[in-house]
Amino acid sequence: MKKKINNEDIIIASHNEGKVSEIKDLLKNYDLKILSSSDLGIDEPEENGSSFEENALIKASTTSMLSKTVSISDDSGLCVNALDGEPGIYSARWAGPKKDFLYAANKIQESLLKIEAIDYSAYFICVLAVSWPDGDYRIYKGRVDGTLSFPPRGKNGFGYDPIFIPLGHESTFGEMDPQFKHSISHRNHAFKLFSKELLIEG
Ligand code: IMP
């Protein structure tokens, strides 16, 4: 059993300000000094893994080795069942260099129409890697299932939120109050597992 992480530094292996602030918010009740790899001037390694797990671990382990501090990283994306899990680990890349998620949503809709899909089910996944400088690591996964809906609806959130309706709801993530979305999100599920096992509420 790994020692609990309490009253110590922890590095978020990301240069994405939105992601860093969402993670800081998820960890606000714990006695941790949270920094990001940008704060330490550590470059983000290339995400060249072939799974969410590999990509999350590449980022967390490289950062923990360079900073000699426990580091965390999450890798997330949208998987569409009728498209064999695409865009999956390429979720960010489907939006192109301009990070245009209306374009990415269109691409998903066109791909589904092309194969005359009846199944519009999809899920968001978040894989969180926690890595220690001695090479030890843990992986936690969160998932939220739902249905895709076109055209996109709602101005809240980011990425694919306007086309995703979580199971048991009628609004898209993009139409939901952000705090409510966070409370049922894939990222929240993964961070709950992590905090239950390794953190002590302060
Ligand atoms: P990452 O930074 O490599 O984890 O990229 C994740 C990509 O997946 C993001 O750019 C979004 O396109 C998508 N994504 C992950 N989580 C969410 C979410 O909660 N809502 C909408 N899109 C998401």
Short mmCIF file of all heavy atoms in Angstrom, two decimals, residues 16 19 47 59 74-78 91-92 101 124-125 158-161 173 181 185-187, ligand 1:
data_model
loop_
_atom_site.label_atom_id
_atom_site.label_comp_id
_atom_site.label_asym_id
_atom_site.label_seq_id
_atom_site.Cartn_x
_atom_site.Cartn_y
_atom_site.Cartn_z
N ASN A 16 -1.81 23.26 -19.66
CA ASN A 16 -3.15 23.74 -20.01
C ASN A 16 -3.77 24.42 -18.78
O ASN A 16 -4.13 23.76 -17.81
CB ASN A 16 -3.97 22.51 -20.46
CG ASN A 16 -5.40 22.85 -20.79
OD1 ASN A 16 -5.97 23.80 -20.28
ND2 ASN A 16 -5.99 22.04 -21.66
N LYS A 19 -7.17 23.17 -17.56
CA LYS A 19 -7.09 21.87 -16.88
C LYS A 19 -6.48 22.03 -15.49
O LYS A 19 -6.98 21.49 -14.51
CB LYS A 19 -6.25 20.90 -17.73
CG LYS A 19 -6.32 19.48 -17.24
CD LYS A 19 -5.41 18.56 -18.02
CE LYS A 19 -6.04 17.99 -19.25
NZ LYS A 19 -5.26 16.91 -19.85
N GLU A 47 2.92 13.39 -26.41
CA GLU A 47 1.94 12.34 -26.08
C GLU A 47 1.95 11.32 -27.21
O GLU A 47 1.12 11.37 -28.10
CB GLU A 47 0.54 12.94 -25.96
CG GLU A 47 0.30 13.69 -24.70
CD GLU A 47 -1.14 14.21 -24.58
OE1 GLU A 47 -2.07 13.51 -25.01
OE2 GLU A 47 -1.30 15.31 -24.06
N LYS A 59 3.26 11.59 -19.26
CA LYS A 59 3.32 12.97 -18.74
C LYS A 59 3.65 12.99 -17.25
O LYS A 59 4.52 13.74 -16.80
CB LYS A 59 2.00 13.69 -18.99
CG LYS A 59 1.75 14.00 -20.46
CD LYS A 59 0.47 14.78 -20.69
CE LYS A 59 -0.75 13.91 -20.78
NZ LYS A 59 -2.00 14.61 -21.08
N ASP A 74 -3.69 13.94 -16.19
CA ASP A 74 -4.84 13.20 -16.72
C ASP A 74 -4.88 13.29 -18.23
O ASP A 74 -4.42 14.26 -18.83
CB ASP A 74 -6.15 13.62 -16.06
CG ASP A 74 -6.75 14.91 -16.61
OD1 ASP A 74 -6.75 15.10 -17.83
OD2 ASP A 74 -7.22 15.71 -15.80
N ASP A 75 -5.37 12.22 -18.83
CA ASP A 75 -5.58 12.21 -20.27
C ASP A 75 -7.04 11.82 -20.47
O ASP A 75 -7.52 10.88 -19.85
CB ASP A 75 -4.64 11.20 -20.94
CG ASP A 75 -4.49 11.53 -22.42
OD1 ASP A 75 -4.20 12.70 -22.73
OD2 ASP A 75 -4.68 10.63 -23.26
N SER A 76 -7.73 12.59 -21.30
CA SER A 76 -9.16 12.36 -21.42
C SER A 76 -9.60 12.47 -22.86
O SER A 76 -8.84 12.94 -23.72
CB SER A 76 -9.91 13.39 -20.57
OG SER A 76 -9.51 14.69 -20.93
N GLY A 77 -10.82 12.05 -23.13
CA GLY A 77 -11.33 12.18 -24.49
C GLY A 77 -12.72 11.61 -24.62
O GLY A 77 -13.29 11.05 -23.67
N LEU A 78 -13.27 11.77 -25.82
CA LEU A 78 -14.61 11.28 -26.14
C LEU A 78 -14.49 10.05 -27.04
O LEU A 78 -13.79 10.10 -28.06
CB LEU A 78 -15.39 12.38 -26.89
CG LEU A 78 -16.78 11.99 -27.37
CD1 LEU A 78 -17.76 11.89 -26.19
CD2 LEU A 78 -17.32 13.00 -28.39
N SER A 91 -8.92 13.01 -29.48
CA SER A 91 -10.03 13.96 -29.31
C SER A 91 -9.60 15.41 -29.52
O SER A 91 -10.30 16.19 -30.17
CB SER A 91 -10.65 13.83 -27.91
OG SER A 91 -11.29 12.59 -27.80
N ALA A 92 -8.46 15.79 -28.96
CA ALA A 92 -8.00 17.18 -29.12
C ALA A 92 -7.59 17.41 -30.57
O ALA A 92 -7.92 18.44 -31.17
CB ALA A 92 -6.85 17.47 -28.17
N PHE A 101 -13.87 23.03 -32.07
CA PHE A 101 -14.66 21.85 -31.70
C PHE A 101 -16.01 21.76 -32.41
O PHE A 101 -16.62 20.71 -32.42
CB PHE A 101 -14.79 21.75 -30.17
CG PHE A 101 -13.51 21.24 -29.57
CD1 PHE A 101 -12.56 22.12 -29.08
CD2 PHE A 101 -13.23 19.88 -29.57
CE1 PHE A 101 -11.35 21.64 -28.58
CE2 PHE A 101 -12.03 19.40 -29.07
CZ PHE A 101 -11.08 20.29 -28.58
N PHE A 124 -17.32 9.76 -22.26
CA PHE A 124 -16.10 10.50 -21.94
C PHE A 124 -15.29 9.64 -20.97
O PHE A 124 -15.85 9.03 -20.06
CB PHE A 124 -16.41 11.82 -21.23
CG PHE A 124 -16.75 12.96 -22.14
CD1 PHE A 124 -18.00 13.56 -22.09
CD2 PHE A 124 -15.80 13.46 -23.03
CE1 PHE A 124 -18.31 14.63 -22.91
CE2 PHE A 124 -16.10 14.53 -23.85
CZ PHE A 124 -17.36 15.11 -23.80
N ILE A 125 -13.98 9.63 -21.17
CA ILE A 125 -13.13 8.89 -20.26
C ILE A 125 -12.01 9.81 -19.76
O ILE A 125 -11.55 10.69 -20.48
CB ILE A 125 -12.59 7.61 -20.93
CG1 ILE A 125 -11.95 6.69 -19.91
CG2 ILE A 125 -11.64 7.90 -22.06
CD1 ILE A 125 -11.99 5.25 -20.32
N PHE A 158 -16.52 23.07 -22.51
CA PHE A 158 -15.50 23.17 -23.56
C PHE A 158 -15.57 21.91 -24.42
O PHE A 158 -16.36 20.99 -24.16
CB PHE A 158 -14.11 23.31 -22.91
CG PHE A 158 -13.66 22.06 -22.17
CD1 PHE A 158 -12.78 21.17 -22.77
CD2 PHE A 158 -14.14 21.79 -20.91
CE1 PHE A 158 -12.38 20.01 -22.10
CE2 PHE A 158 -13.75 20.63 -20.23
CZ PHE A 158 -12.86 19.75 -20.82
N GLY A 159 -14.72 21.87 -25.44
CA GLY A 159 -14.57 20.68 -26.27
C GLY A 159 -15.91 20.15 -26.79
O GLY A 159 -16.69 20.88 -27.41
N TYR A 160 -16.18 18.88 -26.50
CA TYR A 160 -17.36 18.21 -27.05
C TYR A 160 -18.61 18.35 -26.17
O TYR A 160 -19.62 17.70 -26.42
CB TYR A 160 -17.04 16.72 -27.26
CG TYR A 160 -15.92 16.49 -28.25
CD1 TYR A 160 -14.60 16.33 -27.84
CD2 TYR A 160 -16.18 16.44 -29.62
CE1 TYR A 160 -13.57 16.13 -28.75
CE2 TYR A 160 -15.16 16.24 -30.54
CZ TYR A 160 -13.85 16.08 -30.09
OH TYR A 160 -12.84 15.89 -31.00
N ASP A 161 -18.54 19.20 -25.14
CA ASP A 161 -19.69 19.34 -24.22
C ASP A 161 -21.02 19.61 -24.93
O ASP A 161 -22.04 19.04 -24.53
CB ASP A 161 -19.41 20.46 -23.20
CG ASP A 161 -18.51 19.99 -22.08
OD1 ASP A 161 -18.33 18.77 -21.92
OD2 ASP A 161 -17.97 20.84 -21.35
N PHE A 173 -23.95 18.54 -21.83
CA PHE A 173 -22.98 19.10 -20.87
C PHE A 173 -22.83 20.60 -21.09
O PHE A 173 -22.63 21.36 -20.16
CB PHE A 173 -21.61 18.42 -21.06
CG PHE A 173 -21.35 17.24 -20.15
CD1 PHE A 173 -20.22 16.44 -20.36
CD2 PHE A 173 -22.19 16.93 -19.10
CE1 PHE A 173 -19.95 15.36 -19.53
CE2 PHE A 173 -21.92 15.85 -18.25
CZ PHE A 173 -20.80 15.06 -18.47
N LYS A 181 -22.06 19.88 -13.93
CA LYS A 181 -21.32 19.02 -14.87
C LYS A 181 -20.10 18.42 -14.17
O LYS A 181 -19.85 17.21 -14.25
CB LYS A 181 -20.89 19.79 -16.12
CG LYS A 181 -20.15 18.90 -17.10
CD LYS A 181 -19.01 19.53 -17.83
CE LYS A 181 -17.99 18.52 -18.25
NZ LYS A 181 -16.86 19.06 -19.00
N SER A 185 -18.87 14.40 -13.77
CA SER A 185 -17.98 14.18 -14.91
C SER A 185 -17.00 13.01 -14.71
O SER A 185 -16.72 12.59 -13.58
CB SER A 185 -17.18 15.44 -15.23
OG SER A 185 -16.09 15.55 -14.34
N HIS A 186 -16.49 12.53 -15.81
CA HIS A 186 -15.47 11.49 -15.84
C HIS A 186 -14.25 11.90 -15.01
O HIS A 186 -13.67 11.10 -14.30
CB HIS A 186 -15.07 11.22 -17.31
CG HIS A 186 -14.87 12.47 -18.13
ND1 HIS A 186 -15.79 13.47 -18.17
CD2 HIS A 186 -13.84 12.88 -18.91
CE1 HIS A 186 -15.36 14.45 -18.95
NE2 HIS A 186 -14.16 14.11 -19.40
N ARG A 187 -13.87 13.20 -15.10
CA ARG A 187 -12.69 13.67 -14.36
C ARG A 187 -12.95 13.60 -12.85
O ARG A 187 -12.11 13.15 -12.08
CB ARG A 187 -12.39 15.12 -14.79
CG ARG A 187 -11.05 15.62 -14.31
CD ARG A 187 -10.57 16.85 -15.07
NE ARG A 187 -10.20 16.56 -16.44
CZ ARG A 187 -10.89 16.92 -17.51
NH1 ARG A 187 -12.00 17.60 -17.40
NH2 ARG A 187 -10.49 16.59 -18.72
P1 IMP B 1 -6.17 16.02 -23.24
O1 IMP B 1 -5.78 17.39 -22.80
O2 IMP B 1 -5.15 15.32 -24.05
O3 IMP B 1 -6.66 15.20 -22.09
O4 IMP B 1 -7.36 16.26 -24.27
C1 IMP B 1 -8.64 15.92 -24.00
C2 IMP B 1 -9.57 16.35 -25.12
O5 IMP B 1 -10.76 15.56 -24.94
C3 IMP B 1 -10.01 17.79 -24.97
O6 IMP B 1 -9.35 18.64 -25.84
C4 IMP B 1 -11.50 17.73 -25.35
O7 IMP B 1 -11.60 17.79 -26.73
C5 IMP B 1 -11.93 16.34 -24.97
N1 IMP B 1 -12.54 16.33 -23.63
C6 IMP B 1 -12.04 15.75 -22.51
N2 IMP B 1 -12.86 15.96 -21.46
C7 IMP B 1 -13.89 16.69 -21.93
C8 IMP B 1 -15.06 17.24 -21.31
O8 IMP B 1 -15.33 17.12 -20.11
N3 IMP B 1 -15.89 17.92 -22.14
C9 IMP B 1 -15.65 18.09 -23.45
N4 IMP B 1 -14.59 17.62 -24.07
C10 IMP B 1 -13.70 16.92 -23.32
#
